[in-house]
Amino acid sequence: MIQPDTTLLLGFPDYAPQARALAVALGAPYAEIEVHRFPDGESRLRLPGRLPPRVILCRSLDDPNAKLVELLIAAATARELGARELTLVAPYLCYMRQDIAFNPGEAVSQRIVGRWLADHFDGVISVDPHLHRVPDLVTAVPAARTLSLSAAPLLGEFAARNFDRPLLLGPDEESAPWVEAAARAGGLQGAVAHKERHGDRSVAIRLPDVEVRDRVVVLIDDIASTGRTLACAAGLLYARGAVAVHALVTHALFDPDAERQLREAGVRSLHSTDSIAHPSNAIALSGLLAGGCAEICARTAEET
Ligand code: R5P
């Protein structure tokens, strides 16, 4: 249970509408951190002069390098200004895909950034963090309380509402849990393809043995970055006779060329959650995140 007199939600300008919506869903007051960028690239942050004991910082960590430094400055300052219990809500959690050294000498950034966040926050909440070689969020981010939420049921409900009896298709084995949860929530059929990645912008996909002729197919994935995964899957589906291919993703990272890739592959529509601000945002996460904050708050009360 969130207590509005002892809790404050703090947002940053680059994720303010989503952070404000979370504060409304939580029934907590909201304040925005002022960020001034000096000509040399450094940042000056300004928080409210006094803070209540419980502070929730909400910022998504796409394009993360500068955001991480500001986040850690904000967290340390929040402690100095009175916060005793600090929770980070990062709908998109960065560096989760660099979870092993793929080549000798490579940094395992997931572990390093995770440890860094855990040193500053008591609680960390994220949505569908990319955890494939680690069992859970606390292994990647060893904070006292962590919570990994999933937007997959919201994607499934969206697909059921907006498309005509679609087949949900995950482009690779890693997407299997999301496709399963989305299919269950939407009462839809789901299937998963096989993918091999040959480089940042090069993937090969093998479709599963499922009939797609004359069907509407909705591709479901956690992340779309270069768009190559979705574009490649769409091309194969049309070659097999699919009548329309749409895409639904949790985290719309999208590099500048991604949307062209999808258009050229014939992807008819692209929708995403608002974990990362993007024109394709169609599914708000505020309700899901508010439930997560309430759960972390209850766990804190039990444990302290
Ligand atoms: C990787 O396994 C993820 O689930 C996504 O499929 C991947 O990040 C998409 O990347 P891109 O859009 O660059 O193909």
Side-chain angles (χ1 to χ4, degrees):
M1 183 67 179
I2 295 288
Q3 287 160 333
D5 46 336
T6 55
T7 305
L8 178 68
L9 199 132
L10 283 179
F12 285 82
D14 52 70
Y15 201 62
Q18 296 87 339
R20 219 177 286 116
L22 173 57
V24 170
L26 271 175
Y30 173 78
E32 198 163 303
I33 296 174
E34 277 177 39
V35 180
H36 174 74
R37 291 260 164 80
F38 290 107
D40 62 4
E42 291 183 0
S43 305
R44 181 187 64 210
L45 304 189
R46 185 161 179 222
L47 283 67
R50 280 189 19 203
L51 293 175
R54 180 162 293 144
V55 171
I56 300 169
L57 270 158
C58 178
R59 185 179 221 188
S60 217
L61 294 174
D62 52 304
D63 193 11
N65 293 355
K67 288 181 186 170
L68 276 174
V69 171
E70 290 174 357
L71 187 66
L72 301 179
I73 292 172
T77 308
R79 299 258 186 222
E80 286 169 13
L81 295 170
R84 291 202 304 274
E85 182 68 28
L86 261 186
T87 299
L88 169 66
V89 176
Y92 178 71
L93 198 52
C94 55
Y95 286 109
M96 291 296 109
R97 288 178 290 176
Q98 290 179 37
D99 56 358
I100 55 168
F102 294 93
N103 296 293
E106 259 177 30
V108 184
S109 309
Q110 182 194 75
R111 198 164 58 214
I112 297 160
V113 172
R115 176 78 260 168
W116 204 18
L117 292 172
D119 286 345
H120 286 78
F121 292 93
D122 307 290
V124 174
I125 299 173
S126 188
V127 179
D128 294 323
H130 199 89
L131 302 170
H132 286 297
R133 278 165 285 251
V134 296
D136 46 29
L137 183 56
V138 72
T139 307
V141 183
R145 283 165 285 280
T146 56
L147 186 58
S148 168
L149 300 167
S150 181
L154 298 175
L155 300 187
E157 289 162 11
F158 183 91
R161 273 198 313 275
N162 290 282
F163 304 108
D164 182 20
R165 284 173 291 116
L167 167 71
L168 304 185
L169 186 83
D172 51 32
E173 284 86 352
E174 292 173 351
S175 64
W178 300 304
V179 173
E180 203 180 299
R184 202 178 321 115
L188 300 168
Q189 185 189 359
V192 169
H194 170 79
K195 178 174 84 179
E196 274 172 37
R197 182 170 285 284
H198 300 302
D200 287 349
R201 291 167 196 280
S202 166
V203 296
I205 290 178
R206 199 177 63 239
L207 292 181
D209 195 12
V210 58
E211 184 56 82
V212 298
R213 182 161 300 281
D214 297 329
R215 285 202 74 174
V216 173
V217 182
V218 176
L219 293 165
I220 297 249
D221 211 352
D222 62 335
I223 295 173
S225 176
T226 66
R228 301 295 162 114
T229 298
L230 297 175
C232 176
L236 295 170
L237 288 163
Y238 283 121
R240 274 224 202 150
V243 70
V245 180
H246 301 268
L248 263 182
V249 299
T250 302
H251 306 297
L253 278 179
F254 286 124
D255 76 12
D257 192 40
E259 285 175 82
R260 186 182 62 82
Q261 295 285 334
L262 297 186
R263 245 191 337 270
E264 287 181 3
V267 174
R268 297 274 176 87
S269 73
L270 167 66
H271 294 100
S272 62
T273 78
D274 62 359
S275 84
I276 294 170
H278 186 266
S280 62
N281 289 172
I283 301 168
L285 292 178
S286 51
L288 181 72
L289 294 171
C293 290
E295 184 180 329
I296 286 283
C297 195
R299 277 162 57 184
T300 307
E302 265 171 40
E303 290 166 20
T304 51

